[in-house]
Amino acid sequence: MQLLISPSLRHVTVLPAKGFKEFIKVKVGSRRLSYLMVFYSLLLFTFLLRFIFVLTAVDTIDGERKCSTLGCLGRKIGPRILGRPLESTVPDVIYQVLEEPSDQIEIEEGPDTPQSLEEFMDEMKDIRPGAETFAVKLKAMVTLLEQRTRTAKIQEYLYRHVASSGIPKQLHCLDLKLAYEHSINANARLQLPSAELVPALVDNSYFHFVLASDNILAASVVASSLVQNSFHPEKVVLHIITDSKTFSPMQAWFSLHPLTPAIIEVKGLNHFDWLTKGKVPVLEAMEKDQKARSQFRGGSSAIVANTTEKPHIIAAKLQALSPKYNSLMNHIRIYLPELFPSLDKVVFLDDDIVVQTDLSSLWDIDMKGKVNGAVETCRGEDKFVMAKRFKSYLNFSQPLISKNFDPNECAWAYGMNIFDLQAWRETNISEAYNYWLEQNLKSDLSLWQLGTLPPGLIAFHGHVHVIDPFWHMLGLGYQDNTSITDAQSAGVIHFNGRAKPWLDIAFPQLRSLWTKYVNFSDKFIKTCHIRET
């Protein structure tokens, strides 16, 4: 498109490029072309005047002398147009001081140390120091403030680690109340599911979901959100696996809070006869892992005492010490083909997720022969959540890792995964998982940080089908900068991280997405003082 200016300069006409060229050919020598050239000349002159004005204003702000001649302006404009650097007005000594390592500057905090930029500027105006003294004092103040900020940040991470590692008294209360109810109330001991619905547990025409958890309140939210948002709840089967100590209260909760017409099954790990240490390598690996962790890691005290690592690295290491990473409940997904030998496909859900849409469409996804349908975590702008690659989890300074994997390969997420169990049974995924756990133990836990995702990335390598990010939004337990609007538009949201929605350290503006599925008028919830805020 081109602009066509009228002879009077009062009208502007838009012409296609071809029409403009024809206009030029026809009107050569005419007044219209002359006016057009005058107009563009004026436009170019105006642009140059504005350009000179901006440069002069910037120079004036920078403290340089105003130019009163074209020669002066030329000396300033010329180098910039030609890409040549101008001489800096900042004394070199300031750069030299700021570039020196902080440990070469004597930093002593005392009553006279400025606590803010305002105090620093007031002091500088009073003593009017030279450039070097100014730079030294400025760097000393900034370094002190950085040290304070780092210490405060690490303390925050430590407190969050402690808070997220323990069991809140409200949840402990809920376990005890339901265990007691299970012992005195026959309705709390109902078979789940009822006898007539048992055939549905192995019927592949149903939508089968698996949840492994020892957190009753969290499991109730996952189940409620799943069923309430389902278009066909009568076709939903939720298999809940828990440990032996939580089985009774978990059964009591879902017996007394049925999600009809959905079908709920509750089973304890002790109900699987083959799940013993002699037959399951993960159990032996977990036992060795616990000993190795106490011997080589030094616990949270050693992590916090590190003065060289960045706070977010320390936070990641603290999170890796969470007891859940040494729990069989976190490793159980690697045995899904054995746990459900009659099922062809399941969707595995973590207990810190909330379902916000119907998930039956997941069964329509063509997995193209792959085993694990998962969301990639290297496609987003958030570097702490959605910018993760293999190098974020695996130690590529170890030859065993570097020669087998690509550090820049995209990672994927646990938490909402589609597992094709038929395809899985034709692979050695479970064996590979156990093999790499053993290798990590032999290397004194140096192949990766503690957790189940690193060995999962390895075991499922080459067996992952990428699904749309809509199905799994992560990071709601990492930081509070997640947009509530974005979270509401996701199919499944995941509170992965320390700030779990059932804890006091949860982010308030995000917690409501979870609490909407808790009935705070329920007698067990009220008795244990579980509150919405």
Side-chain angles (χ1 to χ4, degrees), residues 50-277:
R50 291 184 177 180
F51 180 65
I52 293 170
F53 171 79
V54 170
L55 287 181
T56 304
V58 170
D59 289 341
T60 301
I61 292 172
D62 287 343
E64 296 182 13
R65 293 182 179 179
K66 296 181 181 179
C67 290
S68 58
T69 67
L70 288 176
C72 176
L73 286 176
R75 287 193 299 273
K76 292 182 177 298
I77 298 172
R80 299 192 185 195
I81 294 177
L82 296 175
R84 299 172 186 168
L86 287 174
E87 294 183 3
S88 173
T89 58
V90 179
D92 289 340
V93 67
I94 292 183
Y95 288 117
Q96 293 171 1
V97 171
L98 295 179
E99 289 172 355
E100 287 179 3
S102 296
D103 56 5
Q104 294 184 14
I105 298 179
E106 186 177 350
I107 301 174
E108 294 182 1
E109 183 176 6
D112 298 330
T113 302
Q115 304 297 305
S116 66
L117 179 61
E118 184 179 3
E119 290 185 16
F120 174 79
M121 292 306 298
D122 288 341
E123 180 180 339
M124 293 300 101
K125 289 177 181 178
D126 289 339
I127 63 176
R128 297 289 180 178
E132 183 176 2
T133 303
F134 177 90
V136 169
K137 288 184 173 292
L138 175 63
K139 185 169 184 177
M141 185 196 73
V142 171
T143 302
L144 282 173
L145 293 178
E146 283 183 344
Q147 292 173 352
R148 290 182 186 176
T149 301
R150 183 182 186 279
T151 301
K153 202 69 179 175
I154 291 174
Q155 283 294 87
E156 176 193 351
Y157 289 143
L158 179 61
Y159 295 151
R160 286 183 176 274
H161 165 67
V162 173
S164 62
S165 299
I167 300 176
K169 62 181 181 180
Q170 294 91 338
L171 298 189
H172 185 59
C173 167
L174 186 63
D175 284 358
L176 294 177
K177 294 291 183 182
L178 288 168
Y180 178 72
E181 194 73 16
H182 186 271
S183 67
I184 64 170
N185 185 353
N187 290 328
R189 298 191 298 272
L190 296 177
Q191 178 183 342
L192 294 175
S194 57
E196 65 273 16
L197 295 176
V198 168
L201 298 179
V202 293
D203 188 339
N204 283 295
S205 67
Y206 285 78
F207 304 119
H208 292 268
F209 298 87
V210 179
L211 168 65
S213 176
D214 58 359
N215 186 326
I216 297 169
L217 185 61
S220 73
V221 169
V222 175
S224 297
S225 64
L226 171 66
V227 175
Q228 289 182 32
N229 288 290
S230 175
F231 292 158
H232 303 284
E234 72 282 359
K235 300 293 289 184
V236 170
V237 179
L238 177 60
H239 306 265
I240 300 176
I241 302 174
T242 190
D243 56 23
S244 56
K245 66 179 177 58
T246 313
F247 172 74
S248 295
M250 187 76 79
Q251 183 188 34
W253 176 269
F254 285 100
S255 295
L256 299 172
H257 304 83
L259 293 171
T260 309
I263 300 170
I264 309 294
E265 177 190 31
V266 178
K267 297 193 75 172
L269 292 174
N270 55 303
H271 294 152
F272 300 96
D273 296 336
W274 57 270
L275 204 59
T276 58
K277 189 166 70 173

Side-chain angles (χ1 to χ4, degrees), residues 455-525:
L457 292 174
I458 294 175
F460 286 101
H461 189 241
H463 298 286
V464 177
H465 175 71
V466 179
I467 61 176
D468 193 292
F470 164 79
W471 294 111
H472 190 184
M473 181 181 185
L474 297 115
L476 277 72
Y478 275 118
Q479 68 267 313
D480 59 357
N481 61 358
T482 302
S483 164
I484 186 71
T485 303
D486 290 343
Q488 288 173 332
S489 63
V492 174
I493 53 176
H494 194 173
F495 287 85
N496 57 314
R498 294 177 300 275
K500 301 300 185 188
W502 54 83
L503 299 175
D504 291 337
I505 60 175
F507 301 123
Q509 75 277 19
L510 300 175
R511 191 170 186 261
S512 61
L513 298 173
W514 184 85
T515 56
K516 66 187 292 186
Y517 294 102
V518 179
N519 179 9
F520 292 97
S521 63
D522 178 84
K523 69 173 185 177
F524 295 103
I525 299 295

Side-chain angles (χ1 to χ4, degrees), residues 188-367:
R189 298 191 298 272
L190 296 177
Q191 178 183 342
L192 294 175
S194 57
E196 65 273 16
L197 295 176
V198 168
L201 298 179
V202 293
D203 188 339
N204 283 295
S205 67
Y206 285 78
F207 304 119
H208 292 268
F209 298 87
V210 179
L211 168 65
S213 176
D214 58 359
N215 186 326
I216 297 169
L217 185 61
S220 73
V221 169
V222 175
S224 297
S225 64
L226 171 66
V227 175
Q228 289 182 32
N229 288 290
S230 175
F231 292 158
H232 303 284
E234 72 282 359
K235 300 293 289 184
V236 170
V237 179
L238 177 60
H239 306 265
I240 300 176
I241 302 174
T242 190
D243 56 23
S244 56
K245 66 179 177 58
T246 313
F247 172 74
S248 295
M250 187 76 79
Q251 183 188 34
W253 176 269
F254 285 100
S255 295
L256 299 172
H257 304 83
L259 293 171
T260 309
I263 300 170
I264 309 294
E265 177 190 31
V266 178
K267 297 193 75 172
L269 292 174
N270 55 303
H271 294 152
F272 300 96
D273 296 336
W274 57 270
L275 204 59
T276 58
K277 189 166 70 173
K279 299 179 180 179
V280 179
V282 163
L283 292 173
E284 185 177 356
M286 285 170 48
E287 184 176 307
K288 292 180 180 178
D289 178 86
Q290 192 169 13
K291 293 179 180 178
R293 187 192 327 194
S294 60
Q295 182 177 355
F296 295 105
R297 294 292 180 178
S300 58
S301 299
I303 293 174
V304 172
N306 190 307
T307 59
T308 59
E309 289 184 321
K310 295 181 179 179
H312 74 271
I313 299 297
I314 290 177
K317 289 187 174 183
L318 286 173
Q319 186 176 352
L321 288 182
S322 173
K324 77 171 187 176
Y325 291 121
N326 198 44
S327 167
L328 181 57
M329 301 304 299
N330 212 39
H331 289 276
I332 199 66
R333 72 194 88 195
I334 203 64
Y335 296 114
L336 286 174
E338 292 81 8
L339 291 168
F340 303 99
S342 300
L343 297 183
D344 297 337
K345 182 180 289 187
V346 300
V347 170
F348 190 91
L349 303 172
D350 274 356
D351 64 2
D352 53 355
I353 64 103
V354 175
V355 178
Q356 300 187 132
T357 191
D358 174 64
L359 298 185
S360 61
S361 298
L362 296 175
W363 270 258
D364 297 329
I365 295 176
D366 182 5
M367 299 276 285

